[in-house]
Amino acid sequence: MADPRGFLKVRQRETQPRRPVPVRIMDWKEVYEAQEKGTLKAQAGRCMDCGVPFCHQGCPLGNLIPEWNDLMWRDKGDEAIERLHATNNFPEFTGRLCPAPCEASCVLGINQPAVTIKQVEVSIIDEAWDNGWVSPLPPTRLTGKTVAVVGSGPAGLAVAQQLTRVGHTVAVYERDDKIGGLLRYGIPDFKMEKEQVDRRVEQMKAEGTRFRTGVSVGTDVTWEQLRRRYDAVVVCTGATVPRDLPIPGRDLDGVHFAMDYLVPANRAVAGETIEDQINAHGKHVVILGGGDTGADCLGTAHRHGAASVTTLAIGKQPPAERASHQPWPTFPTLFEVASAHEEGGERTYLASTVEFVGENGKLTGVKVAETEFVDGKRLPKAGTERIIPADLVFLSLGFTGAEPAGITEQVSAEFDGRGNVARDGYYMTNTEGVFVAGDAGRGQSLIVWAIAEGRAAAAAVDKYLMGSTILPAPVAPTDRAIAVL
């Protein structure tokens, strides 16, 4: 364990400092600065000898959090990264993007601010990259089995790396021109610069994973062709179908899905020339939806120089502290201030969008009303309507499931009632040899769940191909640990 009295000596929780707002909105670099090593060690030392570390329960990956907290406190970063990599293929992703359900389960969090687990995690992997402690781990032998992984987001990359390391020949198919999925083109650089993806892909290439970019499975190559060519196929295409808002004025010029704004913006940051790019410079922007994607739109609009940005959420503002119905160690819904919210903009809750208004086919405003609750339904309250000026509206209302992409027609894989690719308790669809992991089978979820499912699905695929497996399987599709694979 770390310092036995650390949580008594250091009672204050200190997170990573953020660059000043006036500075950071002038560029696209990550908003966080490195924390001073002494402060970091002191924060890691707050991890207590709690007996039963509930942070394991909070983390879908089962990260060995007390162990690497202790090693970081002892200044043994090379050993800390080994313990971290034992359960997490990509801690540089989760350390930047995960909302840290582990911290909500921290035993210290019962009566003190929780340990800064996420901050220690990202510091361990950053130090490891800086010191050359992250090396390729190619297999010692090849099995002769081949696997196609469709989609190169966190789930697909986790599947591919795990299966490559046990000796299977793995090819990752990605319809975009570069690997990474939403890590590449959905997450703005101010949250995670793409160097994090690039160097992990280079590691995977050195291990033997093959990447096929610019290939749209279902059209350029069919699912059936993949099924005949490979011994197993894993669907990791994500839940990318956006939720729409079919109200009057939806067809006005200026109303867009969030990803139609974020993807071209990320491509432009990468140096590409984008024709007809949606740019918020000098415009009044309204974002519908208060989640992470909405915050990404908010931060992007700030950097484009928007005249104003208003975020509307139909529900109530979450509480600042745990509600009684979300006790420790559950993951509570709390009011959070992301880095983008610090940078400006107005956040409005209990706002029901009634209509998009415009002139000559162009958006000019959004008609909203207060939300009232009638028989458990959220409805606009009559007589409270008002119009918010708007030149752009971004729909950030979540996602409804995976894109069909010919899966059912070509390999008879079925979808469930929630728009996800259906699967059994071992990640296999109703078509033998075709598996699914991540948001494509789970629905829109957290990056840590995508990696956990990728690791577990890899174990299921390995057992299917070889009869047994040595790969760890942290979670099952039912969110319960797989007892025996």
Side-chain angles (χ1 to χ4, degrees):
M1 62 171 292
D3 185 352
R5 299 182 60 81
F7 70 98
L8 296 174
K9 294 186 294 186
V10 183
R11 303 181 72 89
Q12 184 176 355
R13 171 186 165 99
E14 293 187 41
T15 57
Q16 281 177 289
R18 294 169 178 170
R19 293 192 293 135
V21 169
V23 175
R24 72 189 194 221
I25 63 172
M26 301 301 292
D27 60 42
W28 296 89
K29 297 183 182 299
E30 289 185 16
V31 302
Y32 288 100
E33 297 177 329
Q35 191 170 48
E36 192 272 329
K37 189 63 177 287
T39 302
L40 178 67
K41 290 177 62 176
Q43 290 297 306
R46 296 181 68 236
C47 185
M48 57 192 293
D49 186 10
C50 56
V52 179
F54 273 80
C55 53
H56 289 185
Q57 174 269 339
C59 177
L61 285 163
N63 279 336
L64 306 173
I65 295 164
E67 295 185 28
W68 41 257
N69 273 332
D70 172 60
L71 291 167
M72 175 58 77
W73 178 70
R74 298 178 187 277
D75 204 18
K76 296 183 178 181
D78 54 340
E79 296 182 33
I81 189 57
E82 289 184 5
R83 304 311 295 145
L84 183 50
H85 270 151
T87 57
N88 187 351
N89 297 69
F90 315 119
E92 64 271 38
F93 301 162
T94 53
R96 286 172 167 82
L97 305 175
C98 180
C102 53
E103 294 185 7
S105 297
C106 175
V107 173
L108 184 59
I110 295 175
N111 60 3
Q112 286 190 38
V115 175
T116 56
I117 298 171
K118 177 178 174 180
Q119 172 186 309
V120 175
E121 176 184 15
V122 76
S123 299
I124 291 172
I125 181 59
D126 286 350
E127 182 182 22
W129 282 116
D130 291 343
N131 287 280
W133 297 334
V134 182
S135 302
L137 299 174
T140 56
R141 62 178 181 84
L142 295 178
T143 64
K145 300 294 185 179
T146 58
V147 182
V149 177
V150 183
S152 67
L157 293 179
V159 170
Q161 186 166 65
Q162 292 293 92
L163 292 176
T164 296
R165 287 178 171 178
V166 293
H168 303 308
T169 301
V170 182
V172 178
Y173 287 81
E174 170 57 56
R175 64 183 177 182
D176 286 327
D177 58 329
K178 293 182 180 179
I179 294 297
L182 289 183
L183 293 171
R184 171 77 61 181
Y185 291 127
I187 303 296
D189 281 47
F190 59 80
K191 289 178 66 176
M192 187 181 75
E193 295 180 39
K194 300 308 173 273
E195 175 195 16
Q196 307 299 334
V197 180
D198 292 337
R199 58 188 178 185
R200 192 58 82 169
V201 170
E202 289 305 310
Q203 181 204 33
M204 293 179 64
K205 287 180 179 178
E207 292 172 345
T209 302
R210 304 173 183 183
F211 293 98
R212 308 281 186 264
T213 57
V215 180
S216 182
V217 177
T219 53
D220 297 336
V221 59
T222 68
W223 294 95
E224 177 58 29
Q225 286 174 323
L226 289 185
R227 184 67 190 92
R228 290 199 304 265
R229 180 176 177 182
Y230 294 89
D231 296 307
V233 176
V234 189
V235 182
C236 298
T237 53
T240 56
V241 178
R243 180 174 285 107
D244 206 346
L245 185 62
I247 60 174
R250 172 62 182 87
D251 57 345
L252 288 170
D253 183 17
V255 182
H256 307 276
F257 288 118
M259 298 313 298
D260 292 339
Y261 176 54
L262 293 176
V263 172
N266 283 328
R267 288 184 175 276
V269 172
E272 298 182 31
T273 301
I274 308 298
E275 295 184 5
D276 301 322
Q277 179 187 351
I278 304 168
N279 196 305
H281 180 73
K283 296 181 179 179
H284 298 287
V285 177
V286 173
I287 300 168
L288 303 186
D292 287 341
T293 304
D296 293 345
C297 290
L298 176 62
T300 301
H302 290 321
R303 284 157 180 77
H304 280 168
S308 69
V309 188
T310 303
T311 301
L312 304 179
I314 192 173
K316 299 178 181 179
Q317 178 176 320
E321 298 182 354
R322 285 183 181 273
S324 58
H325 66 281
Q326 294 179 326
W328 178 90
T330 61
F331 188 40
T333 301
L334 299 175
F335 179 73
E336 296 184 359
V337 179
S339 64
H341 299 131
E342 290 181 338
E343 296 163 1
E346 179 181 344
R347 302 171 76 177
T348 302
Y349 290 87
L350 290 176
S352 294
T353 305
V354 178
E355 180 182 357
F356 300 121
V357 297
E359 296 177 0
N360 301 319
K362 291 186 176 295
L363 178 75
T364 59
V366 180
K367 181 183 288 187
V368 299
E370 294 179 12
T371 303
E372 65 177 349
F373 294 83
V374 179
D375 297 328
K377 297 180 179 180
R378 297 178 297 191
L379 301 173
K381 183 178 180 180
T384 63
E385 295 86 357
R386 62 189 177 96
I387 294 179
I388 300 175
D391 304 301
L392 289 172
V393 166
F394 299 128
L395 304 181
S396 178
L397 305 173
F399 301 87
T400 61
E403 295 180 31
I407 297 175
T408 300
E409 295 80 3
Q410 295 172 12
V411 289
S412 302
E414 298 176 352
F415 282 71
D416 63 23
R418 300 177 62 188
N420 307 318
V421 182
R423 57 195 183 172
D424 64 16
Y426 296 94
Y427 295 89
M428 191 185 292
T429 68
N430 57 294
T431 300
E432 184 176 352
V434 179
F435 298 78
V436 59
D439 288 4
R442 179 183 180 82
Q444 180 186 359
S445 190
L446 306 178
I447 184 172
V448 67
W449 272 111
I451 297 174
E453 287 214 356
R455 289 171 63 88
V461 172
D462 188 37
K463 183 176 186 295
Y464 168 77
L465 295 175
M466 306 301 293
S468 63
T469 184
I470 60 171
L471 290 173
V475 293
T478 56
D479 296 355
R480 295 189 299 269
I482 298 178
V484 179
L485 263 173

